[in-house]
């Protein structure tokens, strides 16, 4: 009798242990299934959200060119359909990587994209949309985090191979890590002409075209350019519907120069400030004299100076709250400013409409260290320039499998 009772107790213990083990395994499988469904839903949400950003212009539709904040967020160019984005909407985003810049002349902060010396996009933070505001417009604040990146598909890299005379430059055109052979390269070459230390510099401008070889390289040569001359080269490369832009400058000084700030897209207002007023250097050598012009790319992908937007000359001084005002048209292009201060002279470029110089975009939060991040991509056009748009989306709830 005792042996039978012991057998029953052992059987019951084994049964309970097996039942607990089964429940544990079932619970783990159930959590994994729920997590899979959440990840699947997150991926669907990411795709829908990306299309919502790219296929709607926002409310109002032309908010990118107005001094108002939208009440509905979208990046599509209202004049087009499909995946064609507004270059001015992208200008008004508060970008993630660049540190904001403070300019004491206006007592304002500016959203900052600076690729390298002389290539600026500084937009008044009062006119830029920050991450939290856009998340509220999208209806995902406190629920999801996101990061939107736009990367040019065609990379146009310009390298000086001979300082002069003659000046020789290689233009390398690549797609997604492979060269684009037989791509047509249209270019605009601008050489700075000095006119004395107390006068705005002039410039000499020329245009041309070439084709890349089997390695994706087009070699350009310019006579009359010496090793000590300042210049800029802007190139547009295209092949089979893919279009990209590249640029390169050579300057003779890095201390006294002008820095452009976008004050108002609606009014087309850009101001030029003395570099010492921005970087807080000890004491400048002199005022900076400048000569500005506006270059745009036509429908045949060639560059031209826009009429009535050239030979805008003047000077800016340090520590006098003095800056120069320039008015630009409400169409994409590149503001080109030649400058001179004593023996320092060079060229500063600023895109008017983000795609004019194929600037990249990184907007939103940081997906690093997130438990799960869904991504989706689209190929888009931003004023003829080909970009890849990528959205990363993650949940702010925090969830995982509990063993």
């Amino acid at each position: 009798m005792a042996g039978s009772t012991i057998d029953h107790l052992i059987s019951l213990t084994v049964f309970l242990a097996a039942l607990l083990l089964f429940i544990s395994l079932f619970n783990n499988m159930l959590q994994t299934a729920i997590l899979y469904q959440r990840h699947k839903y997150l991926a669907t949400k990411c795709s829908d959200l990306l299309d919502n950003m790219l296929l709607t212009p926002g409310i109002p539709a032309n908010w990118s060119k107005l001094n108002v904040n939208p009440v509905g967020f979208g990046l599509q160019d209202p004049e087009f359909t499909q995946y064609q984005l507004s270059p001015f909407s992208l200008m008004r985003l508060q970008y993630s990587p660049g540190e904001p810049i403070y300019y004491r002349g206006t007592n304002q902060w500016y959203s900052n994209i600076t690729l390298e010396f002389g290539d600026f996009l500084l937009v008044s933070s009062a006119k830029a949309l920050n991450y939290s505001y856009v998340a509220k417009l999208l209806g995902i604040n406190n629920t999801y985090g996101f990061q939107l990146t736009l990367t040019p598909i065609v990379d146009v890299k310009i390298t000086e191979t001979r300082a002069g005379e003659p000046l020789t430059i290689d233009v390398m055109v690549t797609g997604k890590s492979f060269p684009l052979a037989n791509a047509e390269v249209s270019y605009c070459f601008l050489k700075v002409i000095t006119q004395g230390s107390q006068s705005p510099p002039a410039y000499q401008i020329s245009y041309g075209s070439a084709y890349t070889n089997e390695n994706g390289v087009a070699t350009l040569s310019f006579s009359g350019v010496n090793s000590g001359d300042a210049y800029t080269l802007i190139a547009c490369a295209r092949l089979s519907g893919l279009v990209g832009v590249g640029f390169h400058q050579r300057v003779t000084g890095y201390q006294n120069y002008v820095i452009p700030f976008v004050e108002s897209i609606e009014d087309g207002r850009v101001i030029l400030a003395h570099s010492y007023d921005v970087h807080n250097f000890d004491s400048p050598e002199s005022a900076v004299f400048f000569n500005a012009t506006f270059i745009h790319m036509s429908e045949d992908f060639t560059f031209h100076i826009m009429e009535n937007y050239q030979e805008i000359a003047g000077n800016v001084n340090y520590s006098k709250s003095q800056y120069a005002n320039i008015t630009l048209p409400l169409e994409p292009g590149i503001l080109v400013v030649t400058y001179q201060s004593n023996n320092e002279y060079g060229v500063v470029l600023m895109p008017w409409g983000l795609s004019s110089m194929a600037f990249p975009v990184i907007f939103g939060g940081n997906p690093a260290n997130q438990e799960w991040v869904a991504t989706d991509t689209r190929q888009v056009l931003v004023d003829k320039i080909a970009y890849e748009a990528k959205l990363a989306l993650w949940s702010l709830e925090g969830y995982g499998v509990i063993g």
Side-chain angles (χ1 to χ4, degrees), residues 67-80:
N67 290 331
V68 298
N69 288 335
V71 295
F73 183 74
L75 297 172
Q76 186 186 52
D77 192 324
E79 298 181 4
F80 297 94

Side-chain angles (χ1 to χ4, degrees), residues 128-142:
L129 306 184
N130 60 35
Y131 173 44
S132 60
Y133 182 78
V134 172
K136 289 179 181 179
L137 294 183
L138 294 172
I140 61 172
N141 55 309
N142 301 322

